[in-house]
Amino acid sequence: MTTEYLDTGAASLARAAELLRAGETVAFPTETVYGLGADARSAAAVARIFEAKGRPQDNPLIVHIAAWEELGPLVLEIPPTAQALAEAYWPGPLTMIFRRSEVIPASVSGGLDTLAVRLPSHPVARELIRRCGFPVAAPSANRSGSPSPTTAAHVAADLDGRIAAVIDGGPCSVGVESTVVDLTGGVPHLLRPGGVTAEMIRAVAGACEVDDAVTHRLRDGARAASPGMKYKHYAPQARVILLRGSSEARAAYLREHAQEGDGALCFDGETSLPVPTMTYGREDDPAAQAAHVFACLRQADERGFRTLYVSCPSEEGMGLAVYNRLLRAAAFEVIELG
Ligand code: TXA
Ligand code: MG
């Protein structure tokens, strides 16, 4: 198929909504990453998402809505904690998991009886969903396994010819996918860290448990609370290795171990590394790191790096989201430099 490239004007959004209404897939910007949308009520439309991405059928999708009132019909119950979190952080980079109603086909949730829902803050995403008048299922608009797209060019590189259209809304501001929190148990359970931090959830809900899989490899045979966490993820072609330690220790390590063709993803101001570098933000600025990390992973492949050594971010606040993505890109390979 020929992919249509759309701007964010009214005529383009009308065209995108028309395609979605016809059961096609359309990529659109959100504040986190670009999403690949389809009509969440239609199993046939949603099947096109899985096919275009090459996504495993058991990896559930997030359903996007444009207003709080649209949540009720999609879920069996809205716990009071969810209402409080929505008041605090919706619209925004927070996805909440509820018990799924019959309105949404089971295939959207990869067969689970729960449903992930998000109300994005990006004006283009909201206007598009509002024009559709139905909930829009949307995973990140990348080929399954590759880094999430934060520009329309990233979407095109992965999905051109496989989807009906892409809306170009410029770069995404947050840069990593939404926080995913499960509210179907008692205490909010954080499955994927993002722009709404565990501390921010605790401030509203009183408590928040962080799933083990956020920072640890799943043990063989263990069941993933979030199926997405069991797959290799966010990975460029280059081998990625995290280096934890001081800038001086990293420079010394690379002087000894780096080979021709290797590169580094480092903090702003880390100038003494003996390999070609890209920077992804100041060491104390996780929001900047989040905004740049996926574009840098893609750039590593454009530059043909064989191994990409990454300055390991802090796990504090939003740093946990950046660390979680890099850890998966690195298939959990971290070198401790003391
Ligand atoms: O920021 C975002 O969330 C972006 C934009 C487009 O909204 N979307 C996104 O979707 O990142 P995706 O499909 O790439 O990631 C969804 C994650 C996966 O890890 C999936 O396993 C988890 O959410 N998930 C979805 N539904 C779930 C459910 N019912 N139970 C547990 N985990 C779920
Ligand atoms: Mg994804």
Side-chain angles (χ1 to χ4, degrees), residues 2 21 69 97 126 168 176 200 214 306:
T2 306
R21 211 168 291 123
E69 301 72 50
I97 294 178
R126 292 183 73 187
D168 187 349
V176 293
M200 290 165 71
V214 167
R306 286 188 319 193

Side-chain angles (χ1 to χ4, degrees), residues 280-305:
Y280 72 125
R282 284 202 331 251
E283 183 164 14
D284 64 353
D285 190 354
Q289 295 162 16
H292 300 117
V293 65
F294 284 136
C296 287
L297 291 178
R298 284 178 180 261
Q299 213 191 319
D301 282 344
E302 283 158 25
R303 293 177 64 171
F305 292 143

Side-chain angles (χ1 to χ4, degrees), residues 2 21 23 32 39 42 69-70 73 102-103 113 119 127 159 165 259 263 283 291 309:
T2 306
R21 211 168 291 123
T32 57
D39 182 346
S42 160
E69 301 72 50
E70 295 162 19
E102 294 302 312
V103 173
D113 57 9
L119 202 173
E127 176 61 13
L159 297 175
Q259 316 246 319
E283 183 164 14
Y309 292 97

Side-chain angles (χ1 to χ4, degrees), residues 8 29-31 91 120-127 169-173:
T8 58
T30 83
E31 70 278 22
S121 64
H122 196 293
V124 172
R126 292 183 73 187
E127 176 61 13
C172 303
S173 57

Side-chain angles (χ1 to χ4, degrees), residues 147-236:
S148 292
T150 53
T151 67
H154 296 161
V155 178
D158 276 19
L159 297 175
D160 183 61
R162 303 178 67 88
I163 61 178
V166 183
I167 303 171
D168 187 349
C172 303
S173 57
V174 177
V176 293
E177 307 86 340
S178 61
T179 303
V180 177
V181 64
D182 187 344
L183 299 173
T184 61
V187 176
H189 191 76
L190 188 131
L191 300 178
R192 181 175 73 180
V196 173
T197 63
E199 294 78 13
M200 290 165 71
I201 293 172
R202 282 185 200 116
V204 170
C208 177
E209 294 167 349
V210 177
D211 196 87
D212 249 10
V214 167
T215 50
H216 296 92
R217 195 195 297 269
L218 216 58
R219 287 181 309 279
D220 285 348
R223 190 185 138 278
S226 177
M229 284 198 258
K230 71 184 180 218
Y231 297 106
K232 184 168 178 177
H233 240 138
Y234 316 118

